[in-house]
Amino acid sequence: MEPKDRLSLDAWANPSSSSNGLPRKMALENPSFTNFNLRQQEQKWDDTSILDYGIRIEPPFQEFNQASESEYLLSSNCNKQPKVLDQEDGQDNEALQTSKLQDWDPRSMLNNLSFLEEKIHHLRDLVHLIVGRKGQALGGQDQLVTQQQQLITADLTSIIVQLISTAGSLLPSVKHTLSTGTPNGQFGQLGGLLFPPLAGMNCVPQPQHGSGSKVSDQCNQMDVTGNCGTEQNHSTEELEMKEEEDADEGENLPPGSYDILQLEKEEILAPHTHFCTICGKGFKRDANLRMHMRGHGDEYKTPAALAKPNKEPSSEPVIIKRYSCPFAGCKRNKDHKKFQPLKTILCVKNHYKRTHCDKSYICSRCNTKKFSVMADLKTHEKHCGKDKWLCSCGTTFSRKDKLFGHIALFQGHTPAIPLEETKGPHASCDKVDGNEASNKGGNTNFSLGFNAGSGSGVQNVIEVKEDADDPASYFSPLSFDTCNFGGFHEFPRPPFDDSESPFSFLEAP
Amino acid sequence: MKRQKTLETNANNSNLFDLLSEEIVFTILDFIDTNPLDRKSFSLVCKSFYITESKHRKNLKPLRQELLPRVLNRYPHVNHLDLSLCPRINDNSLNVIANTCRDSLNSIDLSRSRFFSYNGLMSLALNCKNLVSIDLSNATELRDAAAAAVAEAKNLERLWLGRCKLITDMGIGCIAVGCKKLRLISLKWCIGVSDLGVGLIAVKCKEIRSLDLSYLPITNKCLPSILKLQHLEDIVLEGCFGIDDDSLAALKHGCKSMKALDISSCQHISHVGLSSLIGGAGSLQQLTLSYSCPVTLALANSLKRLSMLQSVKLDGCAVTSAGLTAIGNWCITLSELSLSKCLGVTDEGLSSLVTKHKDLKKLDITCCRKITDVSIAYITNSCTNLTSLRMESCTLVPSEAFVLIGQRCQFLEELDLTDNEIDDEGLKSISRCSKLSSLKLGICLNISDEGLSHVGMKCSKLTELDLYRSAGITDLGILAISRGCPGLEMINMSYCIDITDSSLLSLSKCSRLNTFESRGCPLITSLGLAAIAVGCKQLIKLDIKKCHNIGDAAMLPLAHFSQNLRQITLSYSSVTDVGLLALASISCLQSMTVLHLKGLTPSGLAAALLACGGLTKVKLHLSFKSLLPLPLFEHLEARGCVFEWRDKEFQAELDPKCYKLQWEDIAQ
């Protein structure tokens, strides 16, 4: 819960910060740099934030009541909050996920909920009050009204953020992008609902939307949700990228700005990288080792011992580490002219196995595809055998519609009928030669034996057939009365019934 | 016969036919087309006639596949081969056809022939380069490989694949790529074909004129590409449940060339979707909406813009009077309208419709049970050009109303009055319609010989007469008909219990008779039927169920004279083994219903079934199944025969009046 709370605080801090004027806003414009500012802001508010959010919120608003100009800045900034939140989430992603898993506590959840309830009550009273006053309709009190609206807006935002963080803690298993993504969506919508009173102000062009989203004409809601969308995409992309070895392809770190580490081959291929100092057992993952360590005594059960090492936020800039492949001549080797470093140890491992090791894992389905990384094999096996849609050009497709799209696109390509369907035993390959047929490229499977333009092939086929029918053709048609009806194959053949047997299973098709 | 003799003498006397060029003889031969036997007689006259006839024949409809090699050698110029009478065509036969006909063949009908596979089709497609038309309907065993074989016929223009249930998108894809010249394709009931296959057809075959997609599991996804077809004229979407309004609304432009649209039984299309489907289809002429959306004001208004519309079929739709009135207010005049089995057709709606559409030629108001003489008065008043009026079971129309039909609609050619209150006065009036060729008077209990005699005297063009259960008819009426209507081709006298042999004797003068049904006429005997057999050599369908007095004595002449007989129903008659075995000599015989024949033994039945090589369908009582050896049935089924087993008890005949009452009970 803790980091989440902190986040919501960050978010919270923003509206008030806008009272500081443009500089703060500038910071928001460029999301990638907000963290620093936020951190300051966070410290600033931490002191007051312990007991009641309500109290905490009001002071900043009173501050900027006089500055009417900054008011709509606030409104627009409010809309941008989710983005900020998201940004931060995206960055602290991993850290959060692990800690959240462990930190979930029903009691704190209960606290949160009761806090929410209280908050909503408070807000309702406030709105009641406004409704009461609205009846009197005092013309000169514009300022007061706006102020109240700001208050409500702020309160609601607080509730929502709180709700999101509470809900988010319940979803530890869900990918982090989801837990931030969806609430943001909601938030965006809510934001849109909340702000209509300020609609007039929102019409002001908002050049501060610097995050690549189009400048919104009127509708704030649209804008916010749009932003959320892009943010989400961005974060999922990031996750996917991490899984890829070549994620650092476009990184372009200047040489020398990072440390290069090079593991030895044995080290890379070792099944375990983390070893228990007490019993010597090996683990693939650091976290597993820490879990294991708990069994060795209470001293390993403290939060400090269980925490992920080297992840404490330190003020000094972290030295970026990159990895080099030990294989000489490899592009990933640091001595290569166009050296491209590998980002993580996992990347090194996968790269080394894929590029410089034997492919020892063979797909059990097709028995042809080989892999050196187990995960690759598993990915392949999921789809192996599904490429059953075949074009005459030899291309296979996993989906029929893809095949048909392909055929529709290219002239002369045609669907290839699977071999087992033609199932002609007469279609022996030796008849094909010499019979050059007109279907170039078409029907690779099918044309065997049937291209017989001159008919010689066809006659061959007939001969084969008659042979196949032999058992049934022993009997003259007149032997009807005497023949044995019990024997299935022994039924007489009618005089006119030529080579084809009544028992069609003897036949090919 | 006379002409043949003269021809013969001419041929013998220094062969005057040598003076005629082949083209002239061919032109003469073109006129000998009504009876297939005439051509046979011609070819048997002499060698040169034989050769001429062989060269002249273009169409062939053989009965047996085993004779194909010889037949094809005799007729080298055959370009259309109809194999629908051969239940069994295997790959060998197709190979023979492919190698004999070669490039001369351009059309083949395999719609009833099973037992062939992609091998035969492949050799057909590769050898007969000029093949433009293939009918593969009902080839339920064919798979994609067969479709791929068809795709080798690069010049194909017309292809029927109805009920080829095992063919999937892949096969259709092959056809779409291979047969670029396709103009017509019917995929009815090809349930393995989806949007992808149909879409590919639309993308690859730009020449498509006619597209039948009935009962395919397609959705709207394939419609945009279909509607882009430049030449599409006729599209059938009957029973395409996957097409609905929502996605039809997305269609921006309709198909300008479309002339006929059928969306029968498309339950999810309402007038909204329909209007987006026909949007821009200004040249639409035929619209079939049977069993689909209700005919309301909105529907009628949405169709208003179709200025070329001629024919509308609304069978089985729920209809409102407002809707019918609105149809009446269209600025065009329809020539064909069908409202059969529509609920909600009232006098008000129908009369306001017909007063505007004065040029109606065909009107179908079957089972519009609410209409009365008011509607009939309006119809006859305004639509005097009607050629076809079908009004079966309009039970509220009183007998006087039918007099109006005869008085005012004298161009009628087809009139269906089944189950109506018409009486002799009405019939007398209707006899003024001198062009009448088809008259159905089934279950008209008020008519008698007197009325029918008027019809017989004046309607000399009558070819089809249905008197099913019109029990007031006796020999006198039939006599008048057989005298006055020499061109009669079809007559149904079932359950006219007073009919005797004298009717049959008089009918035997109608030499064109091909369908004769006299179910449940207990008075007719073998003698009468023998006369029919001798006189009506073109008999194709014969139903003598429950004619107890007909026995083997009738079967012998039948077997001898009626060599065209294809379908016979003998149930409850007195035919025995002997008669059945005699029938087996009719080479055309395909369908036989043999239930409750007392004189029939299992071995006699087996012998008859074995001897009758062309059988495709036999209805038998279930008891024979255990009495005859299973391999016999397997053997017959392998020859292409299908058995239908019936388990009905022996039924005594009901009194006609009683029948009607019972029938009405069921109807209500």
Side-chain angles (χ1 to χ4, degrees):
Chain A
M1 251 350 272
E2 230 175 313
K4 259 304 201 180
D5 271 355
R6 220 176 55 205
L7 279 173
S8 60
L9 271 183
D10 294 345
W12 225 168
N14 278 327
S16 59
S17 72
S18 63
S19 64
N20 298 348
L22 281 172
R24 178 81 192 103
K25 201 157 63 74
M26 291 296 284
L28 280 172
E29 272 175 45
N30 203 341
S32 50
F33 293 112
T34 40
N35 276 341
F36 305 101
N37 296 326
L38 280 174
R39 204 149 269 148
Q40 294 165 11
Q41 209 59 35
E42 178 191 318
Q43 282 165 357
K44 181 176 162 191
W45 286 111
D46 261 351
D47 312 344
T48 48
S49 65
I50 304 157
L51 281 174
D52 188 0
Y53 283 71
I55 302 167
R56 204 161 43 77
I57 298 154
E58 274 156 35
F61 284 101
Q62 281 163 0
E63 261 180 42
F64 61 76
N65 275 342
Q66 298 91 358
S68 62
E69 195 191 334
S70 63
E71 277 168 13
Y72 56 79
L73 289 178
L74 163 78
S75 71
S76 58
N77 274 335
C78 278
N79 298 340
K80 297 198 72 141
Q81 281 168 23
K83 195 169 67 185
V84 177
L85 180 70
D86 196 35
Q87 284 292 322
E88 173 128 359
D89 277 352
Q91 305 215 339
D92 284 1
N93 200 348
E94 284 167 51
L96 276 177
Q97 208 152 7
T98 41
S99 56
K100 239 193 306 172
L101 269 169
Q102 291 158 8
D103 286 358
W104 188 73
D105 179 8
R107 198 169 296 179
S108 73
M109 168 73 81
L110 199 65
N111 280 341
N112 280 332
L113 289 176
S114 53
F115 161 68
L116 273 171
E117 196 180 23
E118 210 177 298
K119 188 87 192 161
I120 290 170
H121 269 296
H122 175 79
L123 190 63
R124 199 171 61 187
D125 291 345
L126 196 67
V127 176
H128 265 302
L129 204 69
I130 295 170
V131 170
R133 268 193 223 152
K134 273 249 171 88
Q136 299 164 13
L138 295 171
Q141 289 199 318
D142 274 355
Q143 227 179 12
L144 188 65
V145 172
T146 345
Q147 182 194 339
Q148 280 161 350
Q149 281 169 350
Q150 303 286 4
L151 269 175
I152 293 165
T153 313
D155 276 13
L156 278 172
T157 318
S158 134
I159 291 169
I160 290 157
V161 172
Q162 181 69 19
L163 200 62
I164 291 164
S165 59
T166 314
S169 69
L170 267 177
L171 303 166
S173 57
V174 181
K175 265 201 169 183
H176 192 63
T177 39
L178 277 179
S179 65
T180 53
T182 26
N184 266 333
Q186 285 167 3
F187 186 80
Q189 279 169 2
L190 283 170
L193 290 174
L194 286 173
F195 294 118
L198 299 174
M201 298 180 183
N202 288 337
C203 289
V204 178
Q206 300 177 329
Q208 67 266 36
H209 284 266
S211 62
S213 67
K214 290 153 203 144
V215 174
S216 67
D217 353 321
Q218 301 261 327
C219 182
N220 234 355
Q221 185 187 347
M222 290 288 285
D223 193 28
V224 173
T225 44
N227 272 344
C228 287
T230 52
E231 295 296 339
Q232 260 173 270
N233 286 343
H234 185 224
S235 51
T236 41
E237 251 170 48
E238 241 174 27
L239 269 182
E240 280 167 28
M241 295 274 272
K242 269 177 196 160
E243 287 168 8
E244 294 216 352
E245 181 200 343
D246 297 338
D248 53 345
E249 203 68 80
E251 200 180 36
N252 281 335
L253 284 171
S257 68
Y258 49 86
D259 279 359
I260 300 173
L261 297 173
Q262 181 167 306
L263 282 77
E264 284 311 305
K265 182 188 162 195
E266 291 71 26
E267 215 172 344
I268 290 171
L269 296 178
H272 304 302
T273 44
H274 304 275
F275 294 93
C276 175
T277 47
I278 298 168
C279 65
K281 191 173 179 198
F283 295 91
K284 277 184 183 166
R285 291 163 195 265
D286 179 41
N288 292 351
L289 172 63
R290 270 178 278 133
M291 287 303 193
H292 163 83
M293 293 304 280
R294 290 187 305 179
H296 285 302
D298 282 342
E299 65 267 37
Y300 298 107
K301 288 180 183 169
T302 60
L306 285 170
K308 203 174 181 180
N310 304 328
K311 283 288 175 179
E312 267 83 50
S314 53
S315 53
E316 68 208 65
V318 184
I319 301 157
I320 304 167
K321 280 184 217 159
R322 287 294 179 265
Y323 297 87
S324 159
C325 169
F327 195 89
C330 175
K331 200 180 179 185
R332 303 296 194 172
N333 184 269
K334 59 189 171 190
D335 298 331
H336 192 274
K337 260 189 285 179
K338 294 176 180 172
F339 171 57
Q340 286 192 323
L342 293 154
K343 219 172 187 176
T344 64
I345 298 181
L346 197 67
C347 290
V348 178
K349 284 186 166 189
N350 282 341
H351 162 78
Y352 193 83
K353 283 183 193 166
R354 280 176 188 148
T355 327
H356 311 299
C357 289
D358 287 341
K359 296 181 174 179
S360 48
Y361 301 115
I362 303 170
C363 172
S364 56
R365 295 197 192 190
C366 60
N367 276 323
T368 47
K369 282 269 187 184
K370 293 178 182 177
F371 302 91
S372 49
V373 177
M374 191 57 163
D376 293 355
L377 172 69
K378 284 184 174 163
T379 314
H380 163 79
E381 276 183 333
K382 264 186 220 164
H383 302 286
C384 181
K386 285 181 185 169
D387 283 3
K388 56 178 183 175
W389 303 106
L390 180 66
C391 177
S392 59
C393 67
T395 321
T396 57
F397 297 86
S398 59
R399 284 166 53 181
K400 191 160 70 162
D401 54 336
K402 298 293 175 200
L403 168 65
F404 276 74
H406 167 89
I407 288 165
L409 204 60
F410 296 104
Q411 291 290 318
H413 292 213
T414 170
I417 310 297
L419 198 59
E420 65 265 34
E421 204 177 296
T422 57
K423 61 178 174 181
H426 331 307
S428 47
C429 301
D430 50 348
K431 288 183 199 134
V432 194
D433 43 3
N435 287 330
E436 186 49 48
S438 55
N439 55 344
K440 299 153 198 151
N443 279 334
T444 44
N445 298 326
F446 187 70
S447 49
L448 305 179
F450 296 105
N451 289 338
S454 62
S456 64
V458 175
Q459 268 155 17
N460 282 347
V461 170
I462 299 167
E463 280 165 26
V464 174
K465 251 190 199 166
E466 281 176 4
D467 289 344
D469 286 341
D470 246 4
S473 54
Y474 288 24
F475 297 88
S476 82
L478 298 172
S479 65
F480 180 77
D481 291 323
T482 53
C483 87
N484 173 18
F485 282 135
F488 198 50
H489 293 255
E490 294 161 285
F491 194 70
R493 302 172 56 73
F496 51 84
D497 193 32
D498 34 24
S499 68
E500 217 165 296
S501 144
F503 311 106
S504 51
F505 64 86
L506 289 174
E507 294 285 333
Chain B
M1 288 308 279
K2 216 178 214 173
R3 191 178 56 188
Q4 276 172 31
K5 268 182 190 159
T6 53
L7 289 178
E8 207 168 353
T9 48
N10 281 344
N12 285 336
N13 297 341
S14 74
N15 205 353
L16 288 174
F17 264 85
D18 283 347
L19 301 174
L20 297 177
S21 72
E22 208 168 45
E23 284 77 27
I24 294 175
V25 185
F26 280 180
T27 319
I28 296 170
L29 273 174
D30 284 340
F31 288 97
I32 314 179
D33 232 4
T34 44
N35 186 352
L37 293 177
D38 293 347
R39 290 176 142 260
K40 195 179 173 187
S41 313
F42 177 84
S43 69
L44 292 177
V45 169
C46 65
K47 244 182 187 174
S48 72
F49 277 23
Y50 182 90
I51 293 166
T52 313
E53 203 269 338
S54 300
K55 281 185 188 165
H56 174 258
R57 190 183 279 271
K58 296 276 188 286
N59 300 340
L60 207 58
K61 195 172 181 179
L63 268 170
R64 302 280 170 81
Q65 71 152 1
E66 56 270 19
L67 300 174
L68 265 175
R70 262 192 288 164
V71 168
L72 291 174
N73 280 328
R74 175 176 168 185
Y75 298 107
H77 297 296
V78 162
N79 57 24
H80 173 72
L81 195 53
D82 185 346
L83 298 170
S84 56
L85 293 181
C86 303
R88 188 189 157 80
I89 288 288
N90 55 25
D91 287 341
N92 284 346
S93 308
L94 289 184
N95 282 329
V96 167
I97 293 168
N99 289 318
T100 320
C101 295
R102 294 273 167 175
D103 291 350
S104 63
L105 190 70
N106 58 32
S107 163
I108 188 164
D109 185 346
L110 293 164
S111 61
R112 306 261 163 171
S113 327
R114 294 168 292 154
F115 298 97
F116 60 87
S117 74
Y118 67 99
N119 295 1
L121 285 174
M122 184 56 107
S123 82
L124 202 63
L126 291 176
N127 288 313
C128 306
K129 300 278 185 217
N130 292 326
L131 211 52
V132 292
S133 164
I134 301 183
D135 192 340
L136 290 174
S137 307
N138 304 312
T140 46
E141 309 283 312
L142 291 188
R143 291 177 176 274
D144 287 339
V150 170
E152 295 299 317
K154 304 287 178 200
N155 289 316
L156 205 62
E157 288 179 11
R158 295 184 298 275
L159 177 63
W160 289 268
L161 290 173
R163 282 187 70 221
C164 292
K165 296 181 182 176
L166 296 181
I167 291 184
T168 69
D169 286 333
M170 297 294 277
I172 295 300
C174 290
I175 290 173
V177 174
C179 312
K180 293 236 184 286
K181 297 181 179 172
L182 268 186
R183 285 167 176 246
L184 177 149
I185 184 165
S186 169
L187 298 173
K188 190 171 185 172
W189 286 116
C190 292
I191 48 177
V193 179
S194 72
D195 283 330
L196 297 172
V198 174
L200 200 63
I201 290 264
V203 167
K204 296 284 183 184
C205 308
K206 295 290 183 196
E207 295 291 313
I208 292 272
R209 263 50 168 187
S210 172
L211 200 54
D212 188 343
L213 305 174
S214 306
Y215 300 98
L216 292 194
I218 53 170
T219 67
N220 306 61
K221 281 182 197 154
C222 63
L223 284 181
S225 45
I226 289 175
L227 293 180
K228 274 182 202 142
L229 286 167
Q230 293 288 312
H231 308 289
L232 187 66
E233 288 174 3
D234 182 2
I235 180 164
V236 185
L237 295 171
E238 186 180 343
C240 292
F241 304 118
I243 300 178
D244 59 26
D245 271 359
D246 290 343
S247 28
L248 278 180
L251 295 174
K252 288 286 187 306
H253 52 87
C255 180
K256 286 195 183 69
S257 55
M258 204 186 324
K259 285 185 179 155
L261 172 69
D262 185 345
I263 54 162
S264 307
S265 311
C266 288
Q267 294 156 350
H268 303 301
I269 303 185
S270 77
H271 66 91
V272 182
L274 180 63
S275 50
S276 49
L277 192 61
I278 60 175
S283 53
L284 200 68
Q285 293 174 358
Q286 277 184 45
L287 186 60
T288 310
L289 302 176
S290 311
Y291 301 95
S292 55
C293 41
V295 181
T296 56
L297 187 63
L299 177 87
N301 285 336
S302 67
L303 301 179
K304 221 175 190 172
R305 289 170 296 137
L306 301 172
S307 54
M308 307 279 278
L309 209 56
Q310 290 173 357
S311 159
V312 177
K313 292 196 171 127
L314 302 168
D315 305 346
C317 295
V319 165
T320 63
S321 294
L324 288 183
T325 313
I327 291 177
N329 289 332
W330 290 350
C331 40
I332 47 150
T333 57
L334 294 174
S335 65
E336 194 177 342
L337 178 66
S338 179
L339 292 168
S340 83
K341 296 169 195 167
C342 286
L343 295 173
V345 178
T346 58
D347 281 338
E348 182 201 353
L350 188 58
S351 52
S352 65
L353 190 154
V354 293
T355 44
K356 298 286 171 51
H357 295 279
K358 288 182 188 293
D359 285 343
L360 267 184
K361 294 267 193 299
K362 291 186 173 181
L363 180 62
D364 189 343
I365 46 172
T366 302
C367 294
C368 293
R369 297 177 194 275
K370 288 179 183 166
I371 62 167
T372 65
D373 51 336
V374 179
S375 287
I376 301 300
Y378 274 100
I379 290 170
T380 52
N381 231 346
S382 58
C383 311
T384 49
N385 291 325
L386 272 184
T387 59
S388 165
L389 176 61
R390 293 158 159 265
M391 50 178 294
E392 181 180 341
S393 293
C394 294
T395 38
L396 289 184
V397 177
S399 55
E400 304 83 54
F402 296 97
V403 178
L404 297 174
I405 295 175
Q407 281 172 350
R408 293 166 181 171
C409 304
Q410 298 190 357
F411 299 107
L412 276 176
E413 291 166 20
E414 184 189 8
L415 185 58
D416 186 348
L417 299 174
T418 308
D419 188 24
N420 271 303
E421 296 298 318
I422 186 169
D423 57 8
D424 286 341
E425 276 304 301
L427 270 187
K428 185 180 176 186
S429 162
I430 280 166
S431 67
R432 293 190 197 183
C433 308
S434 53
K435 292 185 174 178
L436 207 60
S437 74
S438 168
L439 180 60
K440 298 201 171 167
L441 297 169
I443 325 178
C444 292
L445 302 181
N446 299 335
I447 59 168
S448 71
D449 290 337
E450 193 196 333
L452 199 60
S453 302
H454 287 288
V455 173
M457 280 188 280
K458 290 178 186 164
C459 305
S460 57
K461 294 188 175 170
L462 205 64
T463 58
E464 197 174 332
L465 181 63
D466 186 354
L467 298 167
Y468 177 85
R469 286 194 195 268
S470 293
I473 303 298
T474 69
D475 289 340
L476 283 176
I478 301 296
L479 182 67
I481 291 292
S482 49
R483 276 191 187 153
C485 316
L488 200 65
E489 290 173 12
M490 178 258 160
I491 189 161
N492 187 346
M493 310 183 298
S494 302
Y495 304 104
C496 297
I497 45 173
D498 294 329
I499 298 291
T500 69
D501 279 345
S502 63
S503 285
L504 274 63
L505 285 170
S506 59
L507 279 173
S508 67
K509 301 287 183 296
C510 302
S511 58
R512 293 188 166 194
L513 203 65
N514 60 38
T515 304
F516 182 83
E517 295 183 53
S518 64
R519 257 181 209 206
C521 298
L523 300 179
I524 60 173
T525 67
S526 299
L527 191 67
L529 192 60
I532 291 283
V534 173
C536 313
K537 292 206 175 56
Q538 297 188 28
L539 205 61
I540 290 172
K541 185 180 172 189
L542 179 66
D543 187 344
I544 47 167
K545 184 179 171 181
K546 293 184 182 169
C547 296
H548 310 296
N549 290 323
I550 290 182
D552 294 338
M555 296 302 116
L556 296 171
L558 208 59
H560 189 256
F561 293 102
S562 302
Q563 283 297 321
N564 292 318
L565 195 66
R566 286 205 202 126
Q567 189 179 339
I568 190 164
T569 307
L570 294 168
S571 310
Y572 298 91
S573 68
S574 305
V575 176
T576 68
D577 291 352
V578 180
L580 208 59
L581 212 54
L583 284 180
S585 71
I586 302 175
S587 58
C588 291
L589 197 59
Q590 291 195 310
S591 168
M592 203 151 68
T593 305
V594 193
L595 294 167
H596 299 291
L597 287 187
K598 279 182 189 152
L600 190 65
T601 64
S603 57
L605 177 66
L609 290 178
L610 276 173
C612 211
L615 281 179
T616 57
K617 191 167 136 187
V618 177
K619 268 192 205 176
L620 286 176
H621 195 266
L622 199 60
S623 58
F624 282 114
K625 200 171 187 176
S626 51
L627 292 172
L628 288 173
L630 187 64
L632 172 73
F633 295 119
E634 282 168 355
H635 163 67
L636 289 167
E637 274 163 7
R639 283 198 327 203
C641 182
V642 176
F643 287 94
E644 285 184 28
W645 299 102
R646 289 290 179 272
D647 195 16
K648 267 196 279 187
E649 287 302 306
F650 190 89
Q651 278 179 330
E653 185 45 33
L654 295 164
D655 179 65
K657 295 264 164 45
C658 175
Y659 162 80
K660 169 113 194 202
L661 289 175
Q662 192 190 36
W663 193 74
E664 275 171 356
D665 282 347
I666 295 165
Q668 277 160 12

